[in-house]
Amino acid sequence: MTDFTESAERVALRAAVRALASRYGHEYFEAKARAGEKTDELWAEAGRLGYLGVAVPEEYGGGGGGIGDLAAVCEELAAAGCPMLLMVVSPAICGTVIARFGTPSQKRRWLPRFADGSAKMAFAITEPDAGSNSHRLATAIRRDGDGWVLSGGKHYISGVDEVEAVLVVARHVDDSGQRLLPSLMVVPTDAPGFSYRHIPMDLVSPEKQFTCFFDDVRLPADALVGSEDGGLAQLFAGLNPERVMAASFATGMARRALDQASAYARTRKVWDTPIGAHQGVAHPLAQCAIQVELARVMTQKAAALYDSGEDRAAGEAANMAKYAAGEAVAASVDQAIQVHGGNGLASEYGLGSLLAASRLSRIAPVSREMILNYVAQHTLGLPRSY
């Protein structure tokens, strides 16, 4: 994208994904989530149609597009009532990292299956005692002959029960116990010594959250992605797309909430007048619509910068986009519920289940406070506050 008009190809992609997701819809998605089941049918069909692989290089069976194309897929799925969290993780973070830094063998093994949806991979960076501070990661890698040994744990890792492997961020430890630079390791979920425990959540989602434990997990030499000292570059290469995708995930949910609220406000009458005719109802919805569109524009900018190789500028824009989208979806869902009155929390309307999901967008994958810290320091040049 070189201006504020999306290409004809992306517009067509959005329409095709919208048509697919509409055949499943919110009722399908929520029924699966409440039953503790996965949205396997939707994921598989999206993979077969090429939507999950739009950003995978063509030589590996993908569409050869950019993160902006994948973000469009994510947004349209969410707008149709099917916000699939693993889209933010598997094809975006893991797929991007392996496409840019993986060995030829890793690319051959994973990228074609990311493209067709037959493989999923989780991403593990968060630790209980580190939070957003990646410099305090305690999960450690040490050499063991020709291979590696991984020890430690991760917290709030999405979808571990439905993936084939986890891309783990850990720090190298030398013979003296000194912690060195981080690296990314591909860890199969069936590796001896790897276990995980479900974290019960009030969030209504097919994707569950887990604590992961690595009890001296032995890994082959080719579990390492890229070079031993390249972890930081790889990490940011994955985190910028994560923020772009998280923003699209949020704006998609916000669009759905606003569409539903607007339809309700047009048809719900009190004293013979549609409630949407009253400024007390109309203006708050209009303000939310403005917030959502501003967030979408910043998301497009971040994706365009990333796809053009401007990683540093993309980092700033992606953080801003994620912040704006999180605020927009929280406000939009809250206002949509308010417009519906008591119906806003009735299961029939499906907005109550969006409440926790929208609130999560202000917390994960990076909190609004850490984004404000980033912008204060890197955009405004203010002294570091932490």
Side-chain angles (χ1 to χ4, degrees), residues 187-244:
V187 183
T189 51
D190 61 357
F194 178 26
S195 61
Y196 50 91
R197 183 175 65 223
H198 176 230
I199 304 172
M201 304 284 288
D202 286 337
L203 185 68
V204 180
S205 173
E207 293 96 350
K208 307 303 180 185
Q209 300 297 313
F210 296 88
T211 299
C212 298
F213 305 94
F214 309 108
D215 184 13
D216 289 339
V217 178
R218 297 186 178 277
L219 299 167
D222 64 359
L224 176 70
V225 178
S227 61
E228 289 186 42
D229 60 355
L232 286 177
Q234 296 163 22
L235 191 54
F236 287 111
L239 293 184
N240 285 339
E242 175 192 53
R243 282 146 175 69
V244 170

Side-chain angles (χ1 to χ4, degrees), residues 20-46 77 80-84 120 162 204-207 256:
L20 167 66
S22 296
R23 287 198 285 104
Y24 289 86
H26 168 74
E27 292 78 10
Y28 160 84
F29 187 85
E30 184 149 322
K32 287 287 187 178
R34 293 192 181 280
E37 299 174 355
K38 308 302 181 187
T39 52
D40 292 335
E41 302 90 348
L42 175 55
W43 184 276
E45 188 167 0
L77 286 168
C82 300
M84 295 199 293
K120 300 177 186 175
E162 55 182 306
V204 180
S205 173
E207 293 96 350
R256 177 177 171 267

Side-chain angles (χ1 to χ4, degrees), residues 279-341:
Q279 291 177 354
V281 173
H283 283 187
L285 288 177
Q287 288 175 319
C288 289
I290 291 169
Q291 283 186 267
V292 172
E293 285 307 305
L294 290 173
R296 294 182 75 206
V297 170
M298 181 53 79
T299 304
Q300 287 183 317
K301 177 180 179 179
L305 286 168
Y306 183 83
D307 288 336
S308 65
E310 298 183 47
D311 286 349
R312 187 174 183 83
E316 178 183 54
N319 275 289
M320 289 181 174
K322 192 272 172 188
Y323 177 94
E327 299 302 299
V329 69
S332 298
V333 171
D334 182 75
Q335 191 58 40
I337 290 173
Q338 192 69 24
V339 166
H340 282 74

Side-chain angles (χ1 to χ4, degrees), residues 37 97-98 118 158 235 265 271 274 303 339 349:
E37 299 174 355
V97 168
I98 290 177
S118 60
S158 303
L235 191 54
W271 294 294
V339 166
Y349 293 87

Side-chain angles (χ1 to χ4, degrees), residues 119-138:
K120 300 177 186 175
M121 185 181 290
F123 178 69
I125 182 172
T126 310
E127 296 181 5
D129 297 324
S132 298
N133 186 356
S134 58
H135 299 288
R136 292 183 58 87
L137 296 179

